[in-house]
Amino acid sequence: MPIASPEAYAEMLDRAKAGRYAYPAINVTSSQTLNAALKGFADAESDGIIQVSTGGAEYLSGPSIKDMVTGAVAFAAYAHEVAKKYPVNIALHTDHCPKDKLDKFVRPLMAISQERVKRGEQPLYQSHMWDGSAVPVAENLQIASQLLDEAAKGKIVLEIEVGVVGGEEDGVENAINDKLYTTVEDGLAMVEALGLGEKGRYMAALTFGNVHGVYKPGNVKLRPEILNQIQEAVGAKYGKDKPLSLVFHGGSGSLLSEIREALDYGVVKMNIDTDTQYAFTRPVADHMLRNYDGVLKVDGEVGNKKQYDPRTWGKAAEAGLATRVVEACEHLRSTGTTMAK
């Protein structure tokens, strides 16, 4: 199927919230990781979200170019083509973008989508994230309001972060402290500034103890009930049941019970990066260690071309990542829910 249209993406998100499931949002950095993610979603019969960060987009542009927009555009063009062959709906998303990179990343990509829509085409990306966690809430929401206007013109969903995700990802680093918990007051201020869809569609990454990076289950104190408290407060004020579409960041190592509880409270998208990076790299390490004298020309020998052919270990890496995507779909209850069925 083609990359999801704005209408299909909206339906995906609505169905997820109503069905209490979420889509894995898989960070990718190459055609290989993209293909692996696509296979994983297809194997799970789940629609999904594939995303690139600022660093991922820069990497995709090539080591001598290092231009985020170039990489993001090239990646999207490839994704739009290969996704047609898979029987699931896929949305393209850009991940964390801090204030100092908005003019170099999100705003140019939004402008490209606006021009595409004017020509009767689909937007290049279906959603973009503004990461305002490093600025005061008032400034965060002011910028979010401006971006929401621009996103609406390009039929794009905006993702914002209200609160702070701890740890580090792509150069955005935050301490692990009480700021990891979004307050009810912050949630109400967000809706007052952005509305509930009438100004444009958005998703909110509200934080409840989330931390980016690698940690063992139970080491980070997640409080999913915070999401429910904010949903109920906003719902009571505006007369709507579970009005917010929420995003779960920093979920690597989370307990399955915590993940499932967050789904019950309106999480429709969960970012997965650390775990899939490992799932991709682990089979490569295994191949290299098992075939040391084949992938290297040891002691003047010639090695084994079949063992150092990038396709050999690349297929193993892709299979590992695809398997982890299938597992993620199962955890998030999206298995078998594709709209293509």
Side-chain angles (χ1 to χ4, degrees):
M1 299 185 70
I3 292 293
S5 66
E7 294 75 20
Y9 192 28
E11 184 178 351
M12 283 170 56
L13 299 178
D14 289 341
R15 283 165 56 109
K17 187 160 65 170
R20 298 193 173 203
Y21 60 88
Y23 299 107
I26 307 300
N27 280 72
V28 299
T29 54
S30 65
S31 60
Q32 280 187 303
T33 48
L34 166 67
N35 288 334
L38 288 171
K39 184 180 187 303
F41 284 123
D43 288 348
E45 296 186 322
S46 170
D47 299 325
I49 300 169
I50 292 176
Q51 58 191 25
V52 292
S53 64
T54 55
E58 182 181 277
Y59 180 80
L60 281 158
S61 74
S64 63
I65 305 300
K66 295 184 177 181
D67 180 79
M68 294 180 287
V69 172
T70 297
V73 171
F75 166 76
Y78 183 86
H80 275 265
E81 194 61 35
V82 297
K84 296 176 185 177
K85 301 295 184 179
Y86 289 86
V88 289
N89 294 280
I90 299 296
L92 300 182
H93 176 80
T94 62
D95 201 10
H96 292 268
C97 182
K99 182 180 178 180
D100 64 339
K101 293 181 179 178
L102 283 174
D103 289 340
K104 303 174 185 176
F105 190 52
V106 164
R107 287 193 174 108
L109 291 174
M110 282 188 176
I112 290 170
S113 287
Q114 289 171 5
E115 289 301 315
R116 287 170 62 96
V117 169
K118 286 179 183 177
R119 296 194 299 265
E121 303 171 9
Q122 302 290 357
L124 189 64
Y125 280 80
Q126 286 61 61
S127 51
H128 295 291
M129 183 190 176
W130 148 235
D131 183 352
S133 61
V135 302
V137 173
E139 182 182 1
N140 180 354
L141 295 178
Q142 181 184 29
I143 293 173
S145 181
Q146 296 168 352
L147 291 172
L148 188 60
D149 288 341
E150 294 303 310
K153 295 175 185 176
K155 297 184 178 181
I156 299 162
V157 176
L158 181 68
E159 180 185 329
I160 69 167
E161 184 172 309
V162 179
V164 174
V165 176
E168 187 273 336
E169 182 175 44
D170 257 8
V172 179
E173 185 170 1
N174 292 303
I176 299 175
N177 53 38
D178 288 344
K179 292 183 179 180
L180 301 187
Y181 304 95
T182 305
T183 65
V184 169
E185 291 73 23
D186 289 341
L188 290 169
M190 175 187 72
V191 175
E192 183 175 350
L194 304 181
L196 285 173
E198 68 276 8
K199 298 180 181 179
R201 182 148 192 164
Y202 66 94
M203 297 180 284
L206 305 181
T207 56
F208 50 102
N210 319 58
V211 178
H212 287 133
V214 183
Y215 55 89
K216 293 181 180 179
N219 283 5
V220 173
K221 304 306 178 185
L222 293 178
R223 294 172 54 199
E225 68 274 10
I226 287 176
L227 303 180
N228 191 41
Q229 292 166 6
I230 295 172
Q231 286 277 29
E232 289 185 342
V234 173
K237 182 173 181 178
Y238 293 92
K240 295 186 176 183
D241 179 47
K242 205 159 63 174
L244 302 173
S245 295
L246 304 179
V247 180
F248 189 156
H249 283 234
S252 297
S254 300
L255 299 174
L256 183 58
S257 59
E258 295 169 333
I259 293 173
R260 293 279 175 82
E261 185 179 355
L263 302 185
D264 291 339
Y265 300 148
V267 166
V268 297
K269 172 180 181 281
M270 180 175 173
N271 288 13
I272 301 175
D273 186 15
T274 303
D275 287 357
T276 46
Q277 286 182 353
Y278 183 78
F280 185 81
T281 301
R282 178 65 180 82
V284 179
D286 180 72
H287 176 83
M288 298 303 173
L289 292 171
R290 288 177 180 273
N291 300 285
Y292 175 82
D293 56 353
V295 297
L296 297 179
K297 297 180 179 180
V298 179
D299 296 332
E301 295 297 326
V302 296
N304 185 329
K305 182 179 185 298
K306 290 184 178 180
Q307 291 178 353
Y308 60 73
D309 184 336
R311 291 170 294 185
T312 301
W313 49 263
K315 289 175 183 176
E318 290 173 27
L321 195 156
T323 298
R324 183 61 182 85
V325 172
V326 170
E327 180 184 350
C329 292
E330 180 64 28
H331 288 173
L332 299 184
R333 303 179 183 145
S334 71
T335 303
T337 63
T338 178
M339 298 191 304
K341 292 180 70 175

